[in-house]
Amino acid sequence: MGIFFTLLAICACTPSQVETSLTSPLTKMVIQNASGTREVDIMKKPLITHIYTADPSAHVFEGRLYIYPSHDLDHDNPPTPDGDQYDMVDYHVFSLENMHSPPVDHGQVLHLADVPWAKKQMWAPDAAFKNGTYYFYFPARDHAGIFRIGAATSISPAGPFTPQPEFIPGSFSIDPCVFIDEDGKVYMVFGGLWGGQLEKWQKGYFDPAGVEPGDTEPALGPRVAKLSSDMLSFASPIEEISITAEDGQPLLAGDHARRFFEAAWLHKYNGAYYLSYSTGDTHFIAYATGQKPTGPFVFRGYVLNPVVGWTTHHSIVEFQGKWYLFYHDSSLSGGVSNKRNVKVAELVYNADGSIQTIEP
Ligand code: FUB
């Protein structure tokens, strides 16, 4: 399916920036819950339409909303267990002045060819700001075919980003999410099953024969480590995050509707830590809450019901007084799972801190 090449209006920006003109405005939708009705903003159409984008990590930097997504290519690689259809080679950064303004494409900010340790598959990234520097984190397969996580730096949230020559020592698997707590401590949560190889690291080293635990065994959790003060290496041992049911028992590997698969995102709301993630083959964005960024977390429910396309991946951010869920689906390509597009919807919390499930 060909991409809709939209008309691009060149804005009064630097030459590498384009302001996308076919942006769908957020529309109001009335939702009803126990405390009455409320209008929320939801974007029914893709936010970015001139290229395919996925896995949006949203952050507020310098008063603007920045989106750090994967950049899906318009190719038709057949699906494989290694996820060869997700064969991405670069990243673009986008930003919004407010939730009703068109996104600005800041252009290509990092390319595979500039990362000496990386061979292919630049998957879901994230970004962070500390000590005057912007950090961009991204997974890719190294030259041995093993997923690692790299870091790159910039003086601007819009990049371009200069990669470190080596991946983060000790890093593995995919989908880094970097969370800076109110006390200044920085955590990276990461990991993903199947194509993301997490099940191959259960012995503490890469075992190509590694498989998911049996159905009645505890499910694998995402991994977490503190980052060093220069944000470029791990400053603590890597731990596995425990996600339990309400009775305190660990979620089981056979519990595909609730167990962690990939796409971990950590945020804080009203003093509680929220770990949200994709359940993979059941296609939900689920969430669990805890008292520490390293867990344990207790499963609470779903943030987002299944979208068009196999993968689901998101971020949660507060911007200009409201909370938003950035996510993706494959509606722009008519349902092709590796040609995805970013969307956004307002996120609503109930009084007890639970999240109202969004119907995409
Ligand atoms: O975009 C490639 C992979 O697909 C991501 O790393 C996963 O989270 C899934 O969205």
Side-chain angles (χ1 to χ4, degrees), residues 260-330:
F260 166 77
F261 187 92
E262 62 185 5
W265 184 260
L266 199 55
H267 79 279
K268 201 171 183 180
Y269 173 77
N270 264 356
Y273 297 89
Y274 287 68
L275 174 71
S276 43
Y277 56 91
S278 163
T279 61
D281 53 347
T282 50
H283 315 288
F284 293 101
I285 297 293
Y287 75 103
T289 56
Q291 298 310 309
K292 290 190 297 179
T294 50
F297 289 91
V298 179
F299 181 88
R300 296 284 293 271
Y302 298 111
V303 176
L304 179 67
N305 279 335
V307 297
V308 175
W310 200 95
T311 66
T312 185
H313 192 124
H314 70 298
S315 60
I316 292 171
V317 65
E318 186 179 20
F319 182 48
Q320 296 177 347
K322 288 184 174 181
W323 285 87
Y324 293 96
L325 175 78
F326 283 81
Y327 65 103
H328 71 228
D329 69 16
S330 296

Side-chain angles (χ1 to χ4, degrees), residues 104-174:
V104 173
D105 179 353
H106 295 280
Q108 186 184 80
V109 298
L110 183 66
H111 193 281
L112 183 63
D114 299 320
V115 185
W117 62 265
K119 177 135 187 266
K120 62 177 185 172
Q121 287 172 309
M122 298 184 107
W123 284 11
D126 194 17
F129 174 71
K130 197 175 175 202
N131 298 336
T133 299
Y134 290 89
Y135 296 87
F136 184 75
Y137 299 94
F138 59 98
R141 280 184 198 260
D142 68 10
H143 294 281
I146 299 175
F147 265 110
R148 306 289 187 173
I149 296 169
T153 57
S154 177
I155 55 164
S156 164
F161 290 91
T162 305
Q164 294 296 299
E166 305 288 345
F167 56 77
I168 295 175
S171 67
F172 56 86
S173 199
I174 59 168

Side-chain angles (χ1 to χ4, degrees), residues 3-4 6 20-26 42-53 67 96 102-103 326-334 339-344:
I3 190 167
F4 297 121
T6 62
T20 57
S21 63
L22 283 188
T23 307
S24 328
L26 285 161
I42 187 154
M43 179 165 278
K44 287 288 184 189
K45 293 182 189 165
L47 179 64
I48 298 156
T49 54
H50 64 297
I51 58 174
Y52 291 119
T53 52
I67 307 168
L96 300 166
F326 283 81
Y327 65 103
H328 71 228
D329 69 16
S330 296
S331 54
L332 182 63
S333 65
K339 298 179 192 180
R340 301 163 290 181
N341 52 268
V342 170
K343 287 187 170 178
V344 61

